Amino acid sequence: MIALLEEWWNNFSSGVNNQFQKGANSLIILEAWTLWLHHNRCVFDGESPNLARDLLLANEGLHL
């Protein structure tokens, strides 16, 4: 899974200019972190999966 993400990220990054790439990298990292936190809440805290809520939280973080 990680290898697929890394390959996708490298392919994506090679096709954009530096200015755009920095912003895009920040968005990709933010979403990956949000999904990781979501995973941990489901596994360790017993929360039910709610990807829509976590995408909204990532969007809020983006605006901050």
Side-chain angles (χ1 to χ4, degrees), residues 39-54:
H39 165 267
N40 285 348
R41 284 192 304 273
C42 291
V43 171
F44 299 113
D45 299 335
E47 287 189 18
S48 296
N50 188 346
L51 189 56
R53 182 198 61 180
D54 285 336

Side-chain angles (χ1 to χ4, degrees), residues 24-53:
N25 286 344
S26 295
L27 290 174
I28 293 167
I29 292 167
L30 173 64
E31 189 54 37
W33 180 248
T34 300
L35 290 173
W36 181 254
L37 292 176
H38 175 71
H39 165 267
N40 285 348
R41 284 192 304 273
C42 291
V43 171
F44 299 113
D45 299 335
E47 287 189 18
S48 296
N50 188 346
L51 189 56
R53 182 198 61 180

Side-chain angles (χ1 to χ4, degrees), residues 9 12-14 16-26 28:
W9 197 343
F12 173 79
S13 295
S14 67
V16 297
N17 67 40
N18 264 356
Q19 184 74 2
F20 181 79
Q21 183 179 356
K22 290 179 183 180
N25 286 344
S26 295
I28 293 167

